[in-house]
Amino acid sequence: MKILLVCASLEPGLDGVGDYVRRLAAEFCKTGHGVMLVALNDRYINELTEDSTNNFGITRLPKSMPEQERYKAFQTVLDDFNPDWLSLQYVCYSFEKRGITFNLVKQLKKVKIKAKIHIMFHEIWIGESNESTWKDKITGFLQRWAVSALIKTLKPAGISTSNSFYKNCLAKAGIQANKIPIFSNMPVGNPTGKKIYEQLPAEVQSSRSAYVLATFFGGFHYRDQLDSKLIRLAQHVNQEMKKKLVITHVGKSSGIEEQFERLAQTTKIPMKVLGTWDAQDIADYFSLCDVSLANHPLVLFEKSGSIAAALYNKCPVIVLRDNIAADDQKTAEVEQVERIDNIEKFINQETGFSEKYNPESVAGQYLTMFKAS
């Protein structure tokens, strides 16, 4: 089978969906399928670039390239590669700054596509949460209209999304989608790899059993009540486990040092920023942590590659943000701090959940869908 994966940008390490697409392509190649990647609106380059050093070809079309030339180049890739399937990895804001993608629909309507089409909605539209403003709802209406136009134009043989919340929102708009979970954006960690762990304070390393080691990973966004939720977590750890909570951050996030310094002062919890490391080092660190922390709403945890990375490395996740919509799903490995009855049981739970976030497993779900359609 020949599969063309299309997204907006493919800059390694700087575009989450781009990294997802690269790893998905690698998994397809492992099972003998021909794969090609195209970035349609790449803001990280200034000229058309091609790369065939991997087991798959890559064509990146810069955002600065005149639109007519860009889609003419896309047509050339389509004609030359002649795929059986085209999978559009949709993130509305990566194609248009307001997320209203009517122009994308207009341009794709001009492209001659012989392949069967699949759309993976990594994002849909805003305005569906209990935090939405009237402006959000108006913008969301236009974004939803553009999504409907995209589906009407492309007539996809398959539609997917990463989480139950988006699946339900799509269903309310008359769009039936299956759910394919996000996989880890990190490899499997090795507990003997201690490059990051060795940056922890000496007293934590020497008395490891006296601490619960928790970590944030990647983009960090302060939310109201975060201080009180962290204090509550520290109290649970102290009262129920007779241990101290220590919190770290690993990866890249603007202003993280100042944010952590302020949080440490208000919560009195030991905190340390560990900085940016290679993917394998971060995965190794996950395998040595007791729990991961996240500021994502629980209802959207399934769309986070950072959360998937922690879970893939057998590290359960505590959510420190109020939910944005009603949510009746139960996932043992991810929970809001206020809904955890037994913190020790949560941290020490069975880790069979990790297989759900394996890239090989997720790629298999794509291929099953392609073969069935």
Side-chain angles (χ1 to χ4, degrees):
M1 191 186 308
K2 296 171 72 176
I3 304 166
L4 180 66
L5 295 170
V6 180
C7 60
S9 297
L10 280 165
E11 183 68 14
L14 293 179
D15 188 281
V17 171
D19 289 343
Y20 169 93
V21 166
R22 286 175 182 269
R23 193 151 192 196
L24 185 61
E27 294 298 329
F28 288 158
C29 288
K30 288 178 184 178
T31 50
H33 299 283
V35 187
M36 183 81 187
L37 274 55
V38 175
L40 276 181
N41 194 48
D42 207 314
R43 64 186 185 276
Y44 297 103
I45 56 173
N46 294 315
E47 59 183 20
L48 186 154
T49 63
E50 296 178 315
D51 181 7
S52 58
T53 58
N54 302 288
N55 291 325
F56 47 85
I58 298 173
T59 298
R60 298 172 63 184
L61 306 173
K63 181 179 179 179
S64 58
M65 188 177 183
E67 208 163 58
Q68 186 175 356
E69 293 181 26
R70 206 178 341 143
Y71 283 89
K72 183 178 179 181
F74 179 45
Q75 183 71 67
T76 299
V77 173
L78 269 170
D79 294 342
D80 291 347
F81 186 57
N82 192 26
D84 300 297
W85 277 92
L86 184 157
S87 180
L88 175 63
Q89 304 285 315
Y90 184 86
V91 179
C92 58
Y93 288 100
S94 66
F95 288 108
E96 205 276 339
K97 65 180 180 179
R98 298 168 300 165
I100 303 170
T101 54
F102 285 114
N103 195 55
L104 173 68
V105 176
K106 176 184 175 183
Q107 296 303 324
L108 289 177
K109 193 172 185 178
K110 300 175 184 177
V111 178
K112 296 178 181 178
I113 304 173
K114 299 176 184 177
K116 291 183 178 180
I117 296 174
H118 165 253
I119 303 176
M120 175 62 169
F121 284 104
H122 292 277
E123 290 180 358
I124 49 169
W125 51 80
I126 62 173
E128 294 281 358
S129 85
N130 55 26
E131 298 176 350
S132 299
T133 64
W134 278 108
K135 182 179 179 181
D136 292 335
K137 292 179 182 297
I138 292 169
T139 300
F141 172 79
L142 295 172
Q143 292 172 337
R144 185 169 68 249
W145 190 7
V147 165
S148 296
L150 179 71
I151 291 171
K152 184 177 180 180
T153 296
L154 296 183
K155 299 178 175 58
I159 299 174
S160 307
T161 191
S162 62
N163 61 88
S164 299
F165 180 61
Y166 283 177
K167 182 179 178 181
N168 293 337
C169 291
L170 287 163
K172 287 191 295 182
I175 302 165
Q176 299 305 311
N178 68 332
K179 188 171 75 170
I180 298 180
I182 294 296
F183 51 74
S184 170
N185 55 14
M186 291 284 152
V188 176
N190 183 344
T192 63
K194 295 188 175 183
K195 288 183 181 179
I196 301 180
Y197 181 81
E198 289 172 350
Q199 309 304 310
L200 295 174
E203 61 268 24
V204 175
Q205 296 185 54
S206 61
S207 304
R208 178 67 179 85
S209 62
Y211 291 89
V212 165
L213 178 57
T215 193
F216 288 96
F217 168 45
F220 180 89
H221 305 285
Y222 180 82
R223 302 282 178 181
D224 289 342
Q225 301 182 329
L226 179 58
D227 311 62
S228 60
K229 289 178 183 290
L230 289 174
I231 291 171
R232 178 183 297 186
L233 176 59
Q235 289 171 341
H236 278 309
V237 168
N238 181 256
Q239 294 168 6
E240 299 172 29
M241 301 179 69
K242 310 304 179 189
K243 294 185 178 185
K244 297 178 182 178
L245 179 67
V246 60
I247 297 175
T248 65
H249 179 278
V250 63
K252 183 183 292 185
S253 185
S254 177
I256 186 63
E257 290 85 0
E258 294 81 3
Q259 291 172 316
F260 254 45
E261 182 179 355
R262 192 190 66 76
L263 278 170
Q265 291 174 354
T266 58
T267 64
K268 309 304 179 187
I269 300 170
M271 294 189 173
K272 185 171 179 62
V273 176
L274 297 167
T276 304
W277 296 77
D278 290 340
Q280 186 61 58
D281 294 329
I282 295 174
D284 294 346
Y285 183 61
F286 269 135
S287 70
L288 294 165
C289 290
D290 296 306
V291 69
S292 181
L293 305 177
N295 275 341
H296 292 73
L298 183 63
V299 75
L300 287 176
F301 89 85
E302 294 166 296
K303 74 184 290 286
S304 169
S306 298
I307 289 178
L311 296 171
Y312 185 42
N313 280 290
K314 303 180 179 181
C315 192
V317 177
I318 294 176
V319 175
L320 299 163
R321 180 180 171 185
D322 290 340
N323 228 342
I324 61 169
D327 179 25
D328 58 2
Q329 65 179 329
K330 299 293 182 183
T331 306
E333 63 268 24
V334 185
E335 189 55 280
Q336 290 176 290
V337 62
E338 57 268 26
R339 299 199 326 193
I340 298 174
D341 296 325
N342 186 322
I343 191 70
E344 184 170 14
K345 182 179 179 181
F346 179 82
I347 289 174
N348 295 321
Q349 66 181 278
E350 293 294 323
T351 57
F353 56 75
S354 64
E355 185 56 30
K356 290 190 290 186
Y357 307 95
N358 185 332
E360 181 181 352
S361 173
V362 174
Q365 294 183 50
Y366 271 90
L367 294 173
T368 298
M369 177 183 57
F370 290 161
K371 291 172 183 176
S373 298

